[in-house]
Amino acid sequence: MQFQQLQYFVAVAETRHFTRAADLVHVAQPSLSQQIKSLERELGADLFLRARGNITLTDAGEALLPLARRILADADTARHEVQELAQLRSGRVRLGATPSLCTGLLPDVLRAFHDRYPGIRLLIEEGGSHDLVRELARGALDLALVVLPLPTPSPALTTVEVLREDLVVVSSPEASAPGGGRRTVRVSDLEGERLVMFRHGYDLRELTVAACRSAGFEPDFAVEGGEMDAVLGFVRAGLGVAVVPRMVAARTGRGLRVTPLARPGLARTIALAHRSDVAPPRAARELQRMLLER
């Protein structure tokens, strides 16, 4: 049974006339009649009683008609849904990002994407790069913003660099300024400072601890284990200083002293990752384009 045969059958059933039905579906009348006969042979029953000038449905035709209409309607619905997705009118994008990127980079980009494609649902998952890579690999995310280098190199992922972001030191204005109040501080100036530190698995934790050790000292933690908002809150309360991305400090640094790191400073590379073996959906590719063009 072919989809086209059902179209022809419904057209004849509704017009009760082979020639008018052929005009309706834009096909030659002999071709339409041949397809109807082929359908009847396949079903093993006549669908129409063909009296001169009078076309009526047989019992088999009456039974088939609502089913054929439903199949054609479902096909139209499927076509419409696919076109909606193709034209970015509906659908979803599953995006993973580290908490600091959710705070610093994403708000403006997601607002622009939502303004352009209001029918697309945005599903955001926060996590460390290690967790996001795992979620990408199992197909739970379409895209993920991760910090390079990846904790575990994965040949199954494609990564494209989005930006390289400087890190800065934030402190409470009520506390002594790190580095004796100079306009910039070195990583070595953090020796003797009490640090407010992120939880284990947080990319910024590993980066900061590694930088301190490279400068020849072990960092001293006043508080550890928080996410970005908690870390900033603890710094505002005067519990210690923290190393955070410049974009985060610019967006949520109210009530904090922001001190740049002296050259060469510290920076992190942000990349957009997706599975190499599966092309991201159309909506995800559009979000990817906007992120890369930001």
Side-chain angles (χ1 to χ4, degrees):
M1 184 184 301
Q2 299 177 10
F3 182 78
Q4 188 179 60
Q5 291 173 332
L6 294 178
Q7 286 182 305
Y8 295 171
F9 163 71
V10 171
V12 175
E14 290 179 345
T15 62
R16 302 300 170 103
H17 198 283
F18 276 74
T19 301
R20 285 199 292 269
D23 291 339
L24 186 65
V25 296
H26 309 292
V27 67
Q29 190 269 327
S31 296
L32 180 140
S33 297
Q34 184 178 3
Q35 288 297 322
I36 294 294
K37 289 177 181 177
S38 177
L39 178 61
E40 290 176 324
R41 283 196 302 269
E42 182 174 350
L43 294 175
D46 291 338
L47 299 174
F48 298 102
L49 294 173
R50 299 167 175 84
R52 189 174 186 86
N54 186 24
I55 303 295
T56 59
L57 286 166
T58 63
D59 289 344
E62 293 283 3
L64 178 61
L65 183 58
L67 298 175
R69 282 173 170 160
R70 189 183 312 158
I71 291 170
L72 296 177
D74 287 345
D76 283 339
T77 299
R79 186 182 301 109
H80 177 72
E81 290 293 329
V82 170
Q83 289 174 345
E84 288 283 283
L85 286 171
Q87 296 172 17
L88 297 170
R89 294 176 184 169
S90 63
R92 69 176 184 183
V93 177
R94 301 169 301 169
L95 174 67
T98 64
S100 59
L101 292 172
C102 288
T103 301
L105 171 65
L106 283 182
D108 291 340
V109 176
L110 294 186
R111 180 181 60 197
F113 182 86
H114 179 71
D115 288 346
R116 187 174 299 180
Y117 307 111
I120 302 294
R121 288 186 299 129
L122 294 166
L123 306 178
I124 307 301
E125 179 170 332
E126 291 187 77
S129 293
H130 181 80
D131 294 334
L132 297 177
V133 166
R134 186 177 64 249
E135 293 299 287
L136 275 174
R138 73 181 188 89
L141 295 173
D142 301 312
L143 302 169
L145 284 162
V146 297
V147 179
L148 296 181
L150 294 177
T152 304
S154 174
L157 295 182
T158 297
T159 58
V160 181
E161 186 174 326
V162 175
L163 62 92
R164 183 172 171 83
E165 182 181 21
D166 291 334
L167 304 183
V168 297
V169 178
V170 291
S171 57
S172 169
E174 308 301 322
S176 299
R182 294 193 302 273
R183 295 181 64 181
T184 61
V185 297
R186 300 180 299 272
V187 173
S188 59
D189 292 326
L190 298 180
E191 185 174 10
E193 295 282 353
R194 313 245 16 232
L195 298 182
V196 178
M197 184 50 63
F198 301 96
R199 61 171 172 80
H200 284 282
Y202 216 87
D203 300 290
L204 287 170
R205 180 190 179 103
E206 277 71 34
L207 195 156
T208 303
V209 170
C212 292
R213 289 172 178 168
S214 294
F217 69 96
E218 196 67 24
D220 179 20
F221 300 155
V223 184
E224 62 175 315
E227 299 280 351
M228 180 61 69
D229 288 344
V231 165
L232 295 177
F234 295 151
V235 172
R236 287 190 185 94
L239 294 174
V241 305
V243 177
V244 302
R246 183 183 295 275
M247 279 191 297
V248 171
R251 182 176 286 274
T252 61
R254 182 176 299 175
L256 292 173
R257 178 194 295 118
V258 179
T259 307
L261 284 162
R263 291 183 178 181
L266 288 177
R268 62 177 187 167
T269 301
I270 308 301
L272 195 59
H274 64 82
R275 287 177 57 176
S276 303
D277 60 337
V278 179
R282 170 70 187 279
R285 296 199 304 272
E286 181 62 15
L287 178 58
Q288 180 181 35
R289 183 190 65 77
M290 294 179 71
L291 282 164
L292 293 175
E293 292 180 355
R294 54 165 291 283

